[in-house]
Amino acid sequence: MANLDFKFLKEKYGTPLYIYDVNHLKKNMTGYLDYFKSNVFETEVLFASKAFCVKEMLRLVKAYNMSLDVVSIGELYTAIAVDFPMDKIYFHGNNKSISDLEFALNNNVGTIVVDNLMELVALDEITNRLNKKCNIIIRLNLGVEAHTHKFIVTAHVDSKFGVSYGSNDYNDMLDVLKNSKNINFKGFHSHIGSQIFDLDAFTAALEKMLGICKSFDKPLVLNIGGGFGVHYTDEDKPIPFDVVSKTLVDTCEKALKANNVKIEKLCIEPGRSIVAEAGYTLYTIGFTKKTPNKEYYFIDGGMTDNIRPALYQAKYDCDIVGKENELKNHIVTIAGKCCESGDLIIENHPLPEAKSGDLLVTYTTGAYGYSMSSNYNKALTPAVVFVEDGKDKLVCRRQSYDELLEREI
Ligand code: LLP
């Protein structure tokens, strides 16, 4: 674990507080960049900004020469704010509006990931009207769906994302592309799920995509998406970066050799696995209480800064700061302060005795914590601090009550 001075950070910034260990972020980025390489085709690592989209994070991604997945104008706007190279941006989304597409084209976004037939028709019209060229890849629904430890290959035709290979819509999309003046079709995208530990699910999806390449003359760009699992609790067994990277590259190299096809580039777009384990959330314990069957430690945040336990029954690990090595002889539920019974961050977790004012840290909160935070009960969005080599830097101020009401008339 990183050497973070939680007590000092609490004094300086207050709680709840999102804390990122910058060295860990960098280690994760180089973990992919160093190993996701091939001598046969180009490779590209995109950061899926939805996992944690603040300017300072995108500056780091830019400094590491990585590319970026954005899924909304808000994320794109954040990228523009840090002068992110537009040619390295992939713009996703199943329901981009006409003005979203116009905004992306006017800002010269590198690649649009087209999700469905209607989007392609609209994009074709817009590129003609604005007289703009545009690169696209098509998001395929490959029928490979993975949920953490299992994956299934079925004709899962009803996903809201992507187009099924060989469907009428798919064939109509090829027709639109044939006749398009301004759209440059580059290849395909697929994303099979999130928090996945089964590498076979990715290789199955990749092999399907490689099979599809055979019906194209030109070498294509293949983007296999994100979804690589991380360690939240000891039940989770993430696959190391080098193994993920090498397996995907090897699968691709072997299939290309066997089928005598070429690809231009292989892309991955991890979000969680870059930021999750580098993130910590720090809380102050307020009241504690015992009921006949439970013991509660109440914290000064909760579902407003981490919705994942309530939304996905996600599990986390935690410690009381300074009492990490004390006997964990209390089975405790960590509850937030929202007016909602489901506002429980961790249930039935062994911890030492705590007193009011103790600090509680939850681990692996760097992905989809800040980015899914809310102002429910008019809670303020916590500050975000980056710490590198013992030096802390505020990258996002805590919201103020005035800011909370700023837009209200
Ligand atoms: N690419 C695409 C097209 C995606 O839809 C996603 C995530 C990613 C990349 C990044 O996946 P990652 O490597 O972060 O697993 N809010 C949920 C996760 C939703 C993920 C949506 N798509 C959570 O907190 O678990």
Side-chain angles (χ1 to χ4, degrees):
M1 211 233 300
N3 195 9
L4 299 168
D5 188 342
F6 292 125
K7 287 188 179 160
F8 169 81
L9 293 170
K10 141 85 184 180
E11 286 311 311
K12 187 159 175 185
Y13 299 106
T15 54
L17 184 66
Y18 294 112
I19 300 162
Y20 285 81
D21 173 3
V22 177
N23 285 324
H24 199 159
L25 291 172
K26 290 181 173 175
K27 193 179 87 185
N28 291 350
M29 291 194 288
T30 45
Y32 284 118
L33 293 169
D34 286 351
Y35 295 103
F36 192 68
K37 281 186 178 156
S38 166
N39 296 323
V40 183
F41 43 79
E42 281 176 57
T43 53
E44 192 173 11
V45 183
L46 290 60
F47 172 58
S49 67
K50 70 204 82 181
F52 176 50
C53 189
V54 302
K55 289 202 284 186
E56 189 64 9
M57 182 64 208
L58 301 198
R59 284 188 197 108
L60 201 57
V61 174
K62 177 180 159 189
Y64 273 68
N65 259 327
M66 285 170 63
S67 299
L68 198 68
D69 147 1
V70 299
V71 71
S72 68
I73 296 299
E75 290 177 356
L76 179 55
Y77 197 77
T78 315
I80 291 171
V82 299
D83 284 327
F84 204 94
M86 284 298 125
D87 58 325
K88 290 184 160 220
I89 295 187
Y90 288 71
F91 184 27
H92 285 266
N94 65 304
N95 189 26
K96 306 174 189 82
S97 69
I98 302 299
S99 68
D100 290 350
L101 290 168
E102 287 170 352
F103 185 85
L105 289 179
N106 284 328
N107 282 284
N108 303 314
V109 162
T111 308
I112 298 194
V113 186
V114 173
D115 211 272
N116 54 58
L117 172 61
M118 275 184 86
E119 179 182 348
L120 187 61
V121 172
L123 187 63
D124 190 36
E125 185 278 319
I126 298 166
T127 53
N128 292 339
R129 175 158 48 79
L130 300 182
N131 195 22
K132 284 257 180 198
K133 301 271 181 220
C134 148
N135 293 322
I136 69 145
I137 58 176
I138 291 179
R139 177 157 180 177
L140 286 177
N141 170 5
L142 294 173
V144 179
E145 225 196 324
H147 300 284
T148 306
H149 295 286
K150 287 189 219 113
F151 82 96
I152 33 172
V153 182
T154 52
H156 176 62
V157 287
D158 296 319
S159 168
K160 86 166 190 175
F161 295 112
V163 58
S164 294
Y165 176 69
S167 64
N168 289 342
D169 278 10
Y170 175 85
N171 291 328
D172 288 350
M173 284 170 98
L174 294 188
D175 286 340
V176 174
L177 290 175
K178 251 180 246 152
N179 299 316
S180 173
K181 265 202 340 268
N182 291 315
I183 294 182
N184 179 19
F185 168 69
K186 299 285 288 177
F188 291 109
H189 175 276
S190 140
H191 173 78
I192 56 172
S194 238
Q195 184 62 356
I196 302 166
F197 297 106
D198 186 353
L199 253 182
D200 292 347
F202 292 105
T203 52
L206 186 54
E207 275 162 2
K208 277 202 162 189
M209 280 175 124
L210 288 161
I212 293 169
C213 281
K214 281 193 253 175
S215 47
F216 290 84
D217 294 332
K218 69 171 183 179
L220 299 182
V221 172
L222 298 184
N223 182 331
I224 192 74
F228 312 107
V230 303
H231 175 275
Y232 286 99
T233 69
D234 288 342
E235 285 170 23
D236 302 319
K237 310 272 181 245
I239 315 159
F241 296 115
D242 56 334
V243 178
V244 171
S245 304
K246 283 185 192 158
T247 306
L248 292 175
V249 169
D250 285 356
T251 304
C252 207
E253 286 180 358
K254 275 189 202 133
L256 293 181
K257 216 168 170 187
N259 295 324
N260 197 25
V261 289
K262 287 201 168 82
I263 64 162
E264 182 184 321
K265 185 157 63 178
L266 184 65
C267 312
I268 46 171
E269 46 189 24
R272 187 191 317 266
S273 51
I274 289 182
V275 290
E277 292 177 21
Y280 302 75
T281 311
L282 189 62
Y283 304 99
T284 304
I285 295 174
F287 302 131
T288 61
K289 128 174 164 173
K290 284 190 177 134
T291 60
N293 302 302
K294 264 186 177 298
E295 179 167 4
Y296 286 101
Y297 293 174
F298 296 148
I299 51 170
D300 55 352
M303 64 189 294
T304 46
D305 57 75
N306 186 359
I307 188 71
R308 300 190 69 259
L311 201 54
Y312 314 116
Q313 290 75 54
K315 302 275 182 286
Y316 286 88
D317 207 347
C318 69
D319 268 312
I320 309 251
V321 175
K323 297 186 177 173
E324 291 85 351
N325 299 321
E326 285 186 17
L327 188 64
K328 298 185 173 173
N329 55 355
H330 289 244
I331 300 299
V332 188
T333 291
I334 310 296
K337 60 188 290 171
C338 283
C339 190
E340 178 98 23
S341 323
D343 180 20
L344 308 173
I345 292 294
I346 303 177
E347 282 194 84
N348 303 325
H349 192 78
L351 279 178
E353 167 127 31
K355 57 178 190 347
S356 194
D358 278 352
L359 299 179
L360 182 125
V361 59
T362 49
Y363 302 114
T364 319
T365 57
Y368 304 106
Y370 175 84
S371 60
M372 293 174 82
S373 65
S374 81
N375 289 131
Y376 178 51
N377 289 167
K378 287 275 206 256
L380 303 177
T381 308
V384 183
V385 174
F386 275 22
V387 181
E388 182 167 20
D389 299 330
K391 289 202 190 82
D392 52 285
K393 174 160 98 177
L394 183 66
V395 305
C396 184
R397 257 190 309 109
R398 184 178 307 284
Q399 197 176 25
S400 70
Y401 286 110
D402 285 337
E403 283 166 332
L404 194 64
L405 297 185
E406 206 166 51
R407 290 165 298 113
E408 298 186 20
I409 291 132

